[in-house]
Amino acid sequence: MDQTVSCSEHGKWLLGALENQAQFCHALNMERGSSLICGFTTYHKLVEESLEELQKKEDCLLCPTGFSANTALMTALGSISSLLASAGRKPAPDERIAIFSDALNHASTIDGIRLAERQQEAVAFVYNHSDMSHLDFLLICMQVQRKVVVTDSIFSMDGDFTPLPELVKLRKKYGFLLVVDDAHGTLVCGENGGGIPEQFGCENDIDICLGSLSKGVGCQGGFIACSTSWKRFILSRGRSFVFSTALPVPVVASVHAAISVLKKERWRRSVIWEHVQYFASLTKLNIASPIIVILVGSEEAAVKAHRHLLRCGFLVQPIRPPVVPPNSSRLRITLSAHYLAPY
């Protein structure tokens, strides 16, 4: 479960899905399409405006899923090199976009980079997990002019934070484009719910911030918060956005209502972090976020532990290959504001 702040039973959230009944019924009966054809509505625009304000960015692009947001951005970035190359030819090796990716980034980021590489538009470099010395070394060695660094903010299979302040220092040193996937931080971290960038006070140092609407928001969808120029470019070059059906109106209305609730009811975020502190004191585990990972090893042991905990009344999912490397199966716990505090 990733619905961390737990507002899906909130009255306003439910009303948001049902308000404006005429538009709701029309949305169910109309032929839906992509955002660029007939799928974009006033509700979609309201959500984009809410998210751009939350992320302190000039603009925002609402996507069908977090996966499509990441792949759209990575492939759009790669296409820059083809646009700048002479007509009718693929970009030369020194004309390609250099993308530096954390070793534990989400699969959607990895797949987007692979697509850009497959088109011979980008060259990828994977730096050791959260290792800024290794990233610094790779940046020094790479003489390509156009560089992008992309990282998760909270890593979904380990629960640790990216060293964002150090990344910002490297950005100032090398001038690369900094992309942060804040799927697990949006509306969970930061005083106003602005995520990890707000928590570290470096919103203005991040060029593009992506996120999911299925984690902290508890709904569906993804977003790319960026400048208007970047949004226009992704609109024309991000194929997983361009050729996907837009989110349905009832879902988008629910997202808008949930964001409104979570901006106002800050106590929900406070409860999550109180749970984190309590769980840490109870288990003596070194915990950094509401995502808590216990390494088990074999797949059989992870499944056995999952079933035992389920019989005891705890839903703790086993994470197994190919999601994680062989012999690193784990139990993944996600704390939520929905849980009653025993303290």
Side-chain angles (χ1 to χ4, degrees), residues 220-238:
Q220 180 186 340
F223 67 88
I224 305 171
C226 54
S227 67
T228 299
S229 296
W230 274 116
K231 178 180 178 178
R232 289 172 178 168
F233 184 73
I234 300 164
L235 276 169
S236 65
R237 293 285 169 172

Side-chain angles (χ1 to χ4, degrees), residues 1 7 10 17 57-58 93 132 141 175 222 228 285 311 314 327 342:
M1 254 184 97
C7 71
H10 195 289
K57 291 289 181 281
E58 182 184 11
M132 296 299 99
C141 294
T228 299
L285 294 173
R311 287 193 295 269
F314 299 99
N327 300 315

Side-chain angles (χ1 to χ4, degrees), residues 154-160 291 293 295 319 323-324 330 332:
I154 301 176
F155 294 90
S156 61
M157 292 299 117
D158 292 82
D160 58 327
I291 298 174
V293 174
L295 287 174
I319 307 299
V323 177
V324 293
R330 60 201 67 189
R332 183 175 181 265

